[in-house]
């Protein structure tokens, strides 16, 4: 009886090397052109009431817009800025923030956005609450919560973030929150009527390096929310005051969407044919994985390192495979 065959050399798998390879592969594939996506901003400053608030609201709006243009390369054509200033005023911007002006702006934007684009709406101003209905104060009649919901419904094929930084903005939550839509309010309820500190810090998140918690070079809507929420709480504590505003975020039941919406897409991508049902399914699946990756990155500090590495490795592998599938299908279609 012969001797059993000698076993071959044992191959050791270096997990760190494997993760590095997978991570590099995912990064390379992730940054290769895949599908066209843009971010559109709608910034609205409401009735200021006095010169001090005119200057303050103007400062916050322009800081936010400048950050989007400088840091995230959002083109002027994708930015709509409406204010309560009269058209004859030197500080007048693109349109006056009346109810009719807002409706026209949303109608115009609805003709230009594409599926999978992101739409970020930022309201800066004063809010009010009559015990039943909340309102964001504009010159003339204020749009109702139902009116705002109708306007936002024009973007059912896009990723939407609606941020109301005014007092009493929490009254908007029940009527605006919707699956697939991020809603942020500076207050938890309509009854929190004091002037809010939230807008100053929310805008600051996009120009402060500390706002980029996961250090990926871009500040997500979730990161800006967390930055502002913490800053507001700390400010009240430092002044020895009772917290009178509680910022709230509703992620539309998704849990990850706010972590993946940025002022800009963060990468230049060429279009693929999403009219192809199979391609659209691949793109949607990849987007879902991207959201999970971003959400996991934000949890890194609170997770066991081994658990984090294992989950990230799995997600990046899945992301790389889905991106490759998109590229391969598009290449095949281009050759037809």
């Amino acid at each position: 009886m012969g001797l059993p065959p000698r076993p071959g050399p044992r191959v050791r798998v270096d997990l760190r090397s494997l993760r590095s390879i997978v991570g590099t592969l995912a990064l390379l594939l992730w940054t290769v052109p895949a599908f066209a996506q843009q971010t559109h901003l709608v910034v609205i400053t409401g009735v200021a009431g006095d010169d001090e608030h005119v200057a303050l609201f103007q400062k916050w709006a322009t800081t936010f817009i400048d950050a989007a243009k400088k840091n995230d390369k959002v083109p002027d054509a994708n930015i709509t800025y409406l204010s309560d200033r009269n058209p004859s005023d030197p500080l007048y911007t693109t349109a006056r923030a009346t109810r009719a002006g807002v409706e026209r702006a949303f109608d115009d934007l609805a003709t230009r956005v594409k599926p999978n684009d992101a739409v970020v709406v930022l309201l800066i101003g004063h809010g009010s609450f009559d015990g039943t209905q909340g309102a964001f104060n504009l010159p003339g009649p204020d749009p109702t919560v139902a009116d705002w919901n109708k306007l936002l419904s024009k973007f059912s094929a896009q990723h939407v973030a609606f941020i109301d930084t005014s007092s009493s903005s929490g009254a908007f939550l029940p009527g605006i929150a919707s699956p697939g839509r991020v809603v942020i309010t500076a207050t938890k309820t309509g009854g929190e009527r004091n002037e809010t500190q939230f807008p100053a810090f929310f805008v600051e998140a996009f120009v402060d390096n500390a706002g980029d918690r996961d250090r990926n070079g871009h500040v997500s809507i979730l990161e800006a929310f967390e930055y502002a929420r913490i800053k507001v709480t700390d400010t009240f504590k430092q002044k020895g005051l009772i917290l009178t505003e509680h910022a709230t975020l509703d992620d539309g039941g998704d849990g990850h969407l706010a972590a993946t919406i940025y002022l800009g897409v963060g990468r230049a991508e060429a279009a693929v044919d999403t009219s192809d049902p199979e391609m659209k399914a691949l793109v949607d699946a990849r987007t879902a994985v991207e959201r999970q990756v971003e959400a996991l990155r934000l949890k890194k500090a609170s997770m066991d390192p081994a658990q984090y590495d294992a989950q990230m490795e799995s997600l990046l592998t899945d992301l790389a495979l889905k991106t490759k599938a998109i590229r391969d299908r598009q290449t095949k279609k281009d050759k037809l």
Side-chain angles (χ1 to χ4, degrees):
M1 185 173 182
L3 295 173
R6 180 179 297 176
R10 185 176 181 182
V11 178
R12 295 184 62 191
V13 178
D14 186 332
L15 290 181
R16 279 191 290 185
S17 296
L18 177 60
R19 291 183 190 117
S20 177
I21 292 170
V22 171
T24 301
L25 175 61
L27 180 60
L28 288 172
L29 291 175
W30 201 358
T31 55
V32 169
F35 62 94
Q37 182 188 59
Q38 298 185 60
T39 300
H40 302 264
L41 308 181
V42 180
V43 181
I44 304 172
T45 56
V47 175
D50 56 48
D51 291 341
E52 178 183 354
H53 284 87
V54 167
L56 199 56
F57 295 168
Q58 180 87 8
K59 174 186 174 183
W60 291 338
T62 54
T63 297
F64 180 77
I65 291 172
D66 288 346
K69 293 162 79 171
K70 179 181 178 181
N71 301 334
D72 287 280
K73 311 304 179 187
V74 178
D76 288 336
N78 287 14
I79 299 173
T80 302
Y81 179 19
L82 302 93
S83 77
D84 77 330
R85 310 302 293 168
N86 187 286
S88 62
D89 191 296
L91 293 178
Y92 178 69
T93 53
T94 57
R96 197 168 185 221
T98 61
R99 178 173 178 169
V102 170
E103 291 174 349
R104 283 194 297 271
F106 275 72
D107 286 341
D108 174 66
L109 181 57
T111 66
R112 295 186 283 113
V113 294
K114 298 178 181 179
N116 292 316
D117 279 358
V119 176
V120 177
V121 180
L122 176 64
L123 307 186
I124 299 173
H126 297 299
S128 59
F129 181 64
D130 64 6
T132 303
Q133 290 288 330
F136 176 73
N137 302 148
L138 296 175
D142 298 327
T144 64
V145 172
D147 290 332
W148 284 109
N149 189 50
K150 184 177 180 180
L151 292 174
L152 294 172
S153 295
K154 295 177 182 292
F155 309 109
S156 58
Q158 289 74 38
H159 306 304
V160 176
F162 177 82
I163 305 108
D164 185 350
T165 66
S166 68
S167 55
S168 298
S169 51
F172 274 65
L173 275 172
I176 297 295
S178 176
R181 180 188 300 169
V182 175
V183 180
I184 291 175
T185 57
T187 71
K188 187 175 181 179
T189 67
E192 294 183 332
R193 294 184 170 90
N194 290 355
E195 185 171 346
T196 56
Q197 305 293 312
F198 185 81
F201 296 122
F202 184 81
V203 168
E204 183 179 282
F206 295 97
V207 295
D208 184 348
N209 289 334
D212 182 14
R213 294 175 59 190
D214 62 7
R215 297 296 185 266
N216 71 344
H218 301 275
V219 177
S220 69
I221 294 300
L222 177 60
E223 287 175 319
F225 169 79
E226 290 294 344
Y227 176 97
R229 182 184 62 81
I230 293 170
K231 285 278 190 176
V232 167
T233 301
D234 290 346
T235 297
F236 274 83
K237 285 182 179 179
Q238 289 168 7
K239 294 180 178 179
L241 301 173
I242 296 175
L243 189 63
T244 59
E245 59 183 275
H246 299 79
T248 303
L249 183 150
D250 186 290
D251 211 355
D254 181 277
H256 307 300
L257 184 56
T260 61
I261 296 181
Y262 299 86
L263 301 192
V265 296
R267 62 186 190 273
E269 296 180 308
V272 297
D273 183 14
T274 53
S275 64
D276 171 9
E278 290 189 33
M279 179 68 83
K280 186 177 186 306
L282 285 170
V283 170
D284 289 344
R286 190 183 76 159
T287 298
V289 178
E290 288 177 339
R291 294 176 185 174
Q292 293 177 58
V293 169
E294 293 298 330
L296 182 61
R297 282 176 175 161
L298 293 177
K299 297 177 182 178
K300 182 176 182 180
S302 61
M303 291 181 64
D304 173 73
Q307 182 184 27
Y308 173 84
D309 286 347
Q311 291 186 27
M312 183 59 76
E313 178 185 328
S314 176
L315 288 173
L316 290 178
T317 301
D318 193 15
L319 180 62
L321 292 173
K322 284 182 169 56
T323 302
K324 184 177 186 303
I326 291 171
R327 292 176 59 199
D328 290 347
R329 186 168 183 80
Q330 186 60 40
T331 299
K332 183 177 180 181
K333 289 175 68 67
D334 290 343
K335 290 179 179 179
L336 295 177

